[in-house]
Amino acid sequence: MNTKDVKLLETIVRSHVTNSHQLKSLLHFSTRQITYSIKKINDELSFHGLSLIKRSNSGEWLYEANDLQKLLVSMNQAMLIKEGATPEYVNDDLAYGEVRRYSELLFILANPQKVTTQKIMEFIGISKNTTRNDLSKIKEKLPLGHTLVFNPQNGFMIESSVPKYHILLLEAFNFLTEKHATINRFESLFFEDKIFVFAFIHAYEQTFKLKFSDNSLTKLYYLIGLSLASFKRRTKAHANFSYDLQELDEFQMIRNYIDQHYQHAETAIDYEWLTLLFLSFNTISNKFEMVDSKIYRVIMEMITLFQSKSAIRISNKEELTNRLMNHLRPAIYRIRYDLPFEMDNVVEIVKENHEVSAVLNFVKESIAPLETFLHKEIPETELYLISVYFCSELLNSSVIETQVRKKAIVVCSNGLIMANVMTKTLKEIFPDIQFVASSSVREMDKFVENIDLIFSNQPLASEIPLYIIQPIMNEEEKTRLRNRVLIDFSTNNISRETRNLTEIIRRYSAVQDEGSLQNDIEKFLISYANSLINLDRQSKQESKISFLELLVSGGIILVTEGNLTWKNAMELACQPLLEQQVIEKNYQDILMNQMADEEAYYFLNNRIAIPHSSPENGVIKGGCSLLISINPIIFPGNRPIHFISPFAIRKKENYLLAINQLLQLSKDEEYQQEILLCTTEDEVREKIKDFFKEEATCQ
């Protein structure tokens, strides 16, 4: 099996694919490629004594998911680091010219010994002509400030300033990992130092009470090792500090550790580069109490702005600030020093997840303090990452499960942010499962006792039922995953319940044909389980609702030209919600008290007020009203308001969707003015529908 075959197998397992059409939409493989790869996968399954992938008359694939997972685990284990050997089926990535040339570039950058044409040929496995052509293209495409040179003493080398050299090494490494190229071949460049590198990273984690995510740990291992190797051959020009990190505790620890345990002396700028690498990677856990008052104040300002822009009240800003400190700090160093780091699929998360998309808009409105602090515009991928973290915090609920039947852990190799996203998604898909922990692969053994099932984004060797999933799933993948889990556990339950029911019936009557009775009972229970799955699927599809849907499907719109006090206006806006039993009287009283505060956060820009509270304060069902006043209504804090929309929403996700739509409307004062010219409820309703139609088109 080659890398394409393994990728196809991994996609079937992760996305629970059941036919070639689904696979084409995910991988863009041709029918011929899929057929060929399935044949090779079946050959491998047969070799391992596992069940084959079969095709039904309807074109659906029939397979044992656990057997496919076992094969995937076996293939991944074959790709683990091996002394002096690279698995044959992963070498095909060097057939691609760009991947091959970046591999050659990294070989030159990080090689501690003299690099000759012959050594490149042997390392990559190519001819002399191909090597010469590649070196010519590498020289031609090097970024400004870098030069490929050759001299008899050192062979091929890249000449540049030390900081640019560091960044180029990182860029070459990132390119190869983003293309899923094989990187274990590069371990040979620092093979003598591999034990030191592992110990170095472990010492850092112990000192600063943190754990890097599995992906971060792997990348950090190679980058530290390759950097140390590059220091040995690179010209030791006297270099001053470049990154301005020497005052940090992390810098002092790294310098002291290398001085005590490593035989090769480095320049000051190299110590700083290693510090920067450690600082820039995401962690799965972090218990170190950092004292960084500047970053703390910046994050606190961001949260305050976020409250103001989103009309979301955060009850404990200090607690959220402390949590954000540990996870925004790596982003701050990446941005400050323009480090090109892969963002672990956050772009896909934002595109697939409506709640994160909504939070992204509020983050963009609140990011100014961080940009001022860094004197830089925040890159879009980092904005996405910050949005994912904000969203996971806002949607994190402390609901206690009272009738949990199964316990699960979520194992994620991409860090805490992605683990939180996976856990949130899984809680939505499986409200009847208790998710007791999120863990990295290397930490999962701490949690597996008394666990019924594991959800992971990586293949694992486990005796506990394992479900390999995509970190970001679309609705179809969620449905397939839920159905598979329900069927798996229903099958076990049904077999047991069938035996129990047969035993009960046998006690009270003479059973003529016990085998037929068991078959009939089992068919009934399977049919019943499938009906529950369908009902569950329908309820999931109906669970998301936005402001536009609330308003169009029964929201009350009132238009007034009177000169109202803010209290009169609030009572008028809430009255229909009371009459239609959307809210209790207590909910209105709470809203009135909240809006009396001059520093209340329940306003969007200049004209819109959105009074709302937690569902436990008196929400009976979802609903909203919209009061439009031609004349401004002056709220406490001297706010002139024309639109008041009290919300009664039971789910935080729906609130984020609704508030995001209103945020877009609040930015367009010209369109608000057009709405103020409407005289009837129907005119307003159509005008608002047209606005959101245009917004969707623009996006």
Side-chain angles (χ1 to χ4, degrees):
M1 289 173 63
N2 61 29
T3 49
K4 284 186 178 178
D5 303 325
V6 175
K7 179 66 175 175
L8 186 142
L9 173 62
E10 185 178 17
T11 304
I12 293 174
V13 171
R14 285 175 180 269
S15 298
H16 313 284
V17 171
T18 58
N19 56 57
S20 58
H21 177 73
Q22 294 168 358
L23 196 59
K24 282 181 182 178
S25 67
L26 293 169
L27 289 181
H28 307 293
F29 282 12
S30 68
T31 302
R32 183 179 176 184
Q33 287 174 315
I34 291 172
T35 303
Y36 183 64
S37 287
I38 292 293
K39 181 182 182 303
K40 292 172 73 175
I41 291 169
N42 273 339
D43 289 343
E44 200 71 36
L45 287 166
S46 177
F47 177 78
H48 286 82
L50 301 171
S51 302
L52 306 185
I53 300 174
K54 298 178 181 177
R55 187 175 181 274
S56 70
N57 292 332
S58 63
E60 292 294 299
W61 291 340
L62 305 174
Y63 55 79
E64 289 291 335
N66 288 336
D67 283 357
L68 295 191
Q69 288 181 181
K70 288 176 184 177
L71 179 60
L72 186 57
V73 170
S74 175
M75 292 295 99
N76 274 9
Q77 285 175 340
M79 295 175 69
L80 292 175
I81 301 167
K82 295 182 179 180
E83 291 187 22
T86 302
E88 187 175 325
Y89 73 86
V90 297
N91 276 331
D92 63 342
D93 53 18
L94 293 181
Y96 300 99
E98 203 170 14
V99 171
R100 188 179 64 247
R101 286 190 288 275
Y102 269 94
S103 297
E104 292 163 341
L105 174 60
L106 188 57
F107 182 72
I108 295 169
L109 285 165
N111 204 311
Q113 299 175 351
K114 179 179 177 180
V115 179
T116 63
T117 303
Q118 185 64 33
K119 285 188 176 179
I120 296 174
M121 290 166 54
E122 292 171 357
F123 184 78
I124 305 296
I126 53 177
S127 68
K128 182 178 286 188
N129 284 339
T130 302
T131 304
R132 287 175 174 172
N133 289 335
D134 284 351
L135 289 171
S136 177
K137 288 182 180 178
I138 290 171
K139 186 174 184 178
E140 178 186 334
K141 295 188 175 183
L142 277 174
L144 190 66
H146 301 275
T147 307
L148 176 64
V149 299
F150 178 86
N151 62 61
Q153 182 180 354
N154 292 306
F156 289 102
M157 294 188 69
I158 303 294
E159 286 189 349
S160 67
S161 67
V162 175
K164 286 183 177 179
Y165 196 96
H166 290 158
I167 296 295
L168 185 61
L169 186 148
L170 177 58
E171 287 176 342
F173 178 83
N174 279 348
F175 179 88
L176 294 174
T177 55
E178 287 167 13
K179 296 295 183 183
H180 305 289
T182 307
I183 60 170
N184 56 15
R185 59 171 61 89
F186 291 99
E187 191 190 32
S188 63
L189 300 182
F190 59 95
F191 191 78
E192 293 179 358
D193 295 331
K194 61 180 289 187
I195 295 175
F196 168 78
V197 175
F198 276 124
F200 187 17
I201 296 172
H202 179 70
Y204 184 93
E205 288 183 322
Q206 293 288 101
T207 302
F208 297 105
K209 300 176 184 177
L210 55 84
K211 288 285 185 183
F212 290 108
S213 68
D214 296 315
N215 279 0
S216 291
L217 181 66
T218 300
K219 292 175 183 177
L220 193 57
Y221 166 73
Y222 279 99
L223 282 168
I224 296 291
L226 292 171
S227 294
L228 290 173
S230 75
F231 298 162
K232 295 176 184 178
R233 189 168 65 102
R234 200 190 60 221
T235 304
K236 292 289 194 300
H238 221 36
N240 294 322
F241 287 106
S242 174
Y243 303 109
D244 193 27
L245 301 171
Q246 61 270 30
E247 298 300 323
L248 295 178
D249 292 341
E250 289 87 347
F251 175 85
Q252 299 302 328
M253 176 267 163
I254 287 168
R255 185 169 198 166
N256 291 338
Y257 191 87
I258 289 180
D259 288 347
Q260 292 174 20
H261 302 282
Y262 195 60
Q263 59 182 338
H264 304 283
E266 312 304 331
T267 61
I269 193 172
D270 291 337
Y271 291 125
E272 285 202 304
W273 170 244
L274 296 174
T275 303
L276 191 53
L277 285 177
F278 275 111
L279 288 171
S280 300
F281 275 100
N282 295 325
T283 59
I284 191 74
S285 64
N286 195 329
K287 298 178 182 178
F288 187 64
E289 295 182 5
M290 286 176 290
V291 181
D292 196 327
S293 57
K294 291 180 181 178
I295 294 179
Y296 186 92
R297 284 197 301 271
V298 168
I299 296 174
M300 183 67 84
E301 287 178 38
M302 283 176 56
I303 293 173
T304 301
L305 261 179
F306 185 90
Q307 284 188 126
S308 175
K309 297 296 182 181
S310 66
I312 295 173
R313 184 176 179 274
I314 297 170
S315 57
N316 193 331
K317 290 199 296 183
E318 291 78 11
E319 182 182 338
L320 178 58
T321 302
N322 287 328
R323 288 203 299 270
L324 282 171
M325 274 278 287
N326 289 326
H327 299 286
L328 287 186
R329 196 165 180 247
I332 287 172
Y333 283 104
R334 289 195 297 266
I335 297 165
R336 175 180 284 168
Y337 297 106
D338 298 314
L339 294 193
F341 269 80
E342 189 181 359
M343 289 293 105
D344 290 335
N345 298 323
V346 291
V347 176
E348 286 83 355
I349 289 180
V350 175
K351 289 178 180 177
E352 293 286 345
N353 190 298
H354 295 299
E355 293 86 15
V356 181
S357 295
V359 170
L360 173 63
N361 286 321
F362 304 135
V363 168
K364 287 179 178 178
E365 299 273 328
S366 315
I367 206 68
L370 185 56
E371 292 184 327
T372 301
F373 174 69
L374 293 171
H375 305 292
K376 288 185 177 182
E377 185 176 337
I378 306 302
E380 191 172 33
T381 49
E382 296 287 1
L383 281 175
Y384 288 169
L385 194 65
I386 294 168
S387 302
V388 170
Y389 192 78
F390 259 100
C391 190
S392 67
E393 289 293 332
L394 294 172
L395 298 179
N396 182 30
S397 70
S398 57
V399 177
I400 299 173
E401 303 283 354
T402 57
Q403 293 182 334
V404 175
R405 293 183 296 168
K406 301 293 178 187
K407 292 182 179 180
I409 60 170
V410 178
V411 179
C412 180
S413 60
N414 294 352
L416 184 61
I417 293 174
M418 195 66 66
N420 284 342
V421 171
M422 287 172 62
T423 303
K424 175 193 169 295
T425 301
L426 289 166
K427 282 181 177 179
E428 290 179 356
I429 300 172
F430 303 105
D432 50 344
I433 292 176
Q434 181 184 4
F435 290 89
V436 299
S438 299
S439 170
S440 62
V441 175
R442 59 186 173 135
E443 297 283 302
M444 64 174 283
D445 287 343
K446 295 180 180 179
F447 304 103
V448 294
E449 191 174 352
N450 299 321
I451 291 298
D452 299 295
L453 61 165
I454 299 171
F455 295 92
S456 171
N457 71 328
Q458 293 291 323
L460 305 170
S462 172
E463 297 299 320
I464 299 170
L466 168 70
Y467 296 90
I468 302 172
I469 64 173
Q470 300 279 22
I472 312 110
M473 292 180 281
N474 59 35
E475 292 305 316
E476 185 179 354
E477 288 169 332
K478 291 177 186 177
T479 299
R480 289 202 296 267
L481 173 63
R482 180 160 181 82
N483 288 351
R484 183 187 158 199
V485 173
L486 287 177
I487 289 170
D488 284 355
F489 281 92
S490 293
T491 300
N492 295 335
N493 292 336
I494 285 169
S495 298
R496 185 178 63 251
E497 296 304 326
T498 298
R499 291 192 299 271
N500 292 341
L501 286 170
T502 303
E503 179 62 32
I504 292 171
I505 293 170
R506 191 189 297 115
R507 288 181 205 164
Y508 298 98
S509 63
V511 178
Q512 301 296 326
D513 187 346
E514 187 171 312
S516 297
L517 175 63
Q518 286 189 349
N519 286 337
D520 287 344
I521 291 173
E522 190 162 336
K523 285 179 183 177
F524 169 76
L525 291 176
I526 289 173
S527 174
Y528 181 66
N530 287 336
S531 69
L532 291 179
I533 288 171
N534 290 330
L535 284 173
D536 178 80
R537 186 185 303 161
Q538 292 172 13
S539 67
K540 292 260 171 228
Q541 290 171 346
E542 295 167 359
S543 63
K544 296 285 180 72
I545 190 165
S546 65
F547 166 73
L548 177 60
E549 290 164 323
L550 275 176
L551 199 61
V552 171
S553 65
I556 303 97
I557 299 175
L558 307 169
V559 181
T560 178
E561 296 185 13
N563 292 307
L564 302 175
T565 66
W566 73 268
K567 289 185 178 180
N568 293 146
M570 283 288 296
E571 290 172 354
L572 184 60
C574 290
Q575 189 59 36
L577 300 180
L578 290 168
E579 291 175 355
Q580 294 192 10
Q581 295 187 324
V582 173
I583 61 173
E584 298 172 354
K585 180 64 168 63
N586 181 60
Y587 191 81
Q588 177 183 312
D589 295 339
I590 289 173
L591 297 189
M592 296 292 286
N593 290 334
Q594 288 175 345
M595 302 307 284
D597 185 352
E598 292 187 0
E599 297 182 359
Y601 288 108
Y602 305 97
F603 300 93
L604 294 176
N605 289 320
N606 299 323
R607 294 181 169 188
I608 299 178
I610 50 168
H612 63 276
S613 188
S614 302
E616 61 269 19
N617 288 333
V619 174
I620 300 171
K621 60 183 180 182
C624 72
S625 66
L626 176 62
L627 174 66
I628 300 172
S629 177
I630 308 302
N631 299 314
I633 300 164
I634 308 302
F635 273 75
N638 197 31
R639 300 175 185 268
I641 298 300
H642 288 271
F643 302 88
I644 305 174
S645 184
F647 272 96
I649 293 180
R650 299 190 64 83
K651 292 184 68 176
K652 294 178 184 177
E653 293 91 336
N654 289 340
Y655 169 74
L656 288 173
L657 293 176
I659 201 63
N660 187 51
Q661 286 189 329
L662 275 170
L663 177 66
Q664 305 313 311
L665 181 60
S666 74
K667 295 177 182 178
D668 195 332
E669 293 196 4
E670 186 177 333
Y671 206 92
Q672 293 171 34
Q673 200 58 42
E674 292 181 26
I675 294 174
L676 290 174
L677 296 176
C678 297
T679 56
T680 67
E681 177 180 333
D682 288 340
E683 286 181 22
V684 172
R685 202 181 301 276
E686 289 304 313
K687 199 74 180 170
I688 290 176
K689 282 168 67 176
D690 289 343
F691 175 80
F692 289 119
K693 233 181 257 178
E694 290 175 12
E695 282 295 304
T697 303
C698 292
Q699 292 172 359

